[in-house]
Amino acid sequence: MIQSPTARGIAIFLLAGLMFTGMDLMAKLLASRVHITQTLWARYAVQMVIVTALITPRARQVLKTKYPRLQAVRSVFLFAASVFFFAAYLRLDLAESIAISQLSPLWLTLGGAIFLGERFGPARLIAVLIGLCGALIIIRPGTEAFTPWSFLPLIGTLCYAGYALTTRFVGADEDVWTSLFYSALFATVVLTVAMPFTWVPLERSDIPFLIGIGAFGAAGQLFLIRALSLTEAGILAPFFYCSFLWAVIFQITIFGDLPDTATLIGALVIVAAGLYVWRRETRKSA
């Protein structure tokens, strides 16, 4: 049993990464058949339905927030990140898009130091940079990965880092379910208004994937919010890289694409950076 709050936060964060990668996989599978607005609407509308159903018995308590403006900012940041990431799946491979998104830890660690006053010692910096090097080994700058479409997930990383930092600032002062509800509120309202203008008839086989996108997204948000309430953003930052490992696994099992030598080397570097932070930080907080 994991006793340390830091260790629990890291473990929960890894689960969040798995949920989000599963969501991304389903979005990628639908990218060529379903309009992006419909996919995004399902992502947030399903989350709203799930969360609303679960909080109904204590809705009055859950809907009270100490940080209404920050909750609004969080919702906008998350919506913007989703737009850029989902748009990238129209042209980029799942693993390729998620590999580029691995720049998020750098922005998150720097933002945690600048805006939240978190420690930013050499050990954290080295771990994040090592993980970033692993991602760059996989991306291989100068190859076809760096197309204009590659800027979509890059911008998405900045938006996602903004969301994670505001979530960390809200932290334990806010009920997890309060943050989960408001995370999807802005996107659900905007996309519901846009739906009549972008609706495309769906195949029955697409509906389970759309529901799955929302369910996986809701679970990922719940785990992420909980992890950030337990552990500093700078500690969690290197573990963003593990989402790429999930993407590689899905790429192999679903699309039949085997990773090459560079991908395997980069993945090992990413794992090494994450394990280094896990061991160092959990020892300190034990």
Side-chain angles (χ1 to χ4, degrees):
M1 183 176 180
I2 301 174
Q3 298 293 336
S4 164
T6 298
R8 288 202 304 273
I10 292 172
I12 294 171
F13 190 76
L14 292 174
L15 286 175
L18 177 59
M19 294 296 103
F20 286 134
T21 308
M23 177 190 72
D24 293 336
L25 170 64
M26 286 182 275
K28 173 63 179 175
L29 290 171
L30 292 177
S32 62
R33 305 196 306 272
V34 179
H35 195 281
I36 185 174
T37 304
Q38 291 171 278
T39 306
L40 286 166
W41 179 81
R43 155 74 181 90
Y44 289 103
V46 172
Q47 177 174 325
M48 285 294 291
V49 170
I50 293 173
V51 174
T52 301
L54 292 174
I55 69 171
T56 296
R58 57 191 189 99
R60 183 173 297 180
Q61 175 185 351
V62 171
L63 293 180
K64 289 182 179 179
T65 173
K66 299 178 182 178
Y67 305 99
R69 292 183 180 179
L70 274 180
Q71 291 290 4
V73 171
R74 286 179 64 252
S75 190
V76 172
F77 269 135
L78 182 60
F79 175 50
S82 297
V83 170
F84 287 114
F85 286 133
F86 279 38
Y89 299 142
L90 294 171
R91 295 297 181 91
L92 302 178
D93 292 338
L94 177 67
E96 181 181 349
S97 182
I98 292 181
I100 296 171
S101 75
Q102 303 309 293
L103 292 170
S104 290
L106 184 57
W107 315 139
L108 181 56
T109 303
L110 291 175
I114 295 171
F115 298 109
L116 303 182
E118 295 182 354
R119 290 174 297 143
F120 190 66
R124 289 188 184 183
L125 177 60
I126 290 171
V128 171
L129 292 179
I130 289 174
L132 178 59
C133 288
L136 290 176
I137 290 172
I138 298 165
I139 297 171
R140 281 155 286 183
T143 66
E144 61 181 11
F146 280 89
T147 68
W149 291 94
S150 299
F151 287 101
L152 293 175
L154 178 61
I155 298 171
T157 63
L158 293 170
C159 298
Y160 189 79
Y163 164 76
L165 288 170
T166 49
T167 298
R168 175 62 185 168
F169 183 86
V170 171
D173 291 339
E174 201 84 289
D175 189 301
V176 171
W177 292 99
T178 301
S179 292
L180 191 61
F181 177 85
Y182 286 110
S183 292
L185 182 60
F186 176 79
T188 302
V189 172
V190 171
L191 292 167
T192 298
V193 172
M195 283 297 292
F197 304 100
T198 59
W199 181 263
V200 176
L202 298 171
E203 298 290 338
R204 287 187 179 181
S205 59
D206 294 332
I207 295 175
F209 287 96
L210 290 171
I211 295 173
I213 286 173
F216 272 73
Q221 288 299 322
L222 178 61
F223 289 141
L224 175 65
I225 293 167
R226 181 57 178 161
L228 287 167
S229 70
L230 291 170
T231 308
E232 290 185 6
I235 295 175
L236 294 175
F239 294 93
F240 268 87
Y241 299 121
C242 291
S243 62
F244 180 77
L245 302 182
W246 304 130
V248 169
I249 293 172
F250 288 140
Q251 188 96 2
I252 293 172
T253 57
I254 304 299
F255 300 103
D257 295 335
L258 297 175
D260 55 22
T261 302
T263 299
L264 292 175
I265 293 174
L268 289 174
V269 172
I270 290 168
V271 171
L275 290 177
Y276 168 73
V277 174
W278 175 291
R279 182 176 181 181
R280 183 176 184 274
E281 298 295 343
T282 52
R283 273 186 171 185
K284 288 171 58 178
S285 59

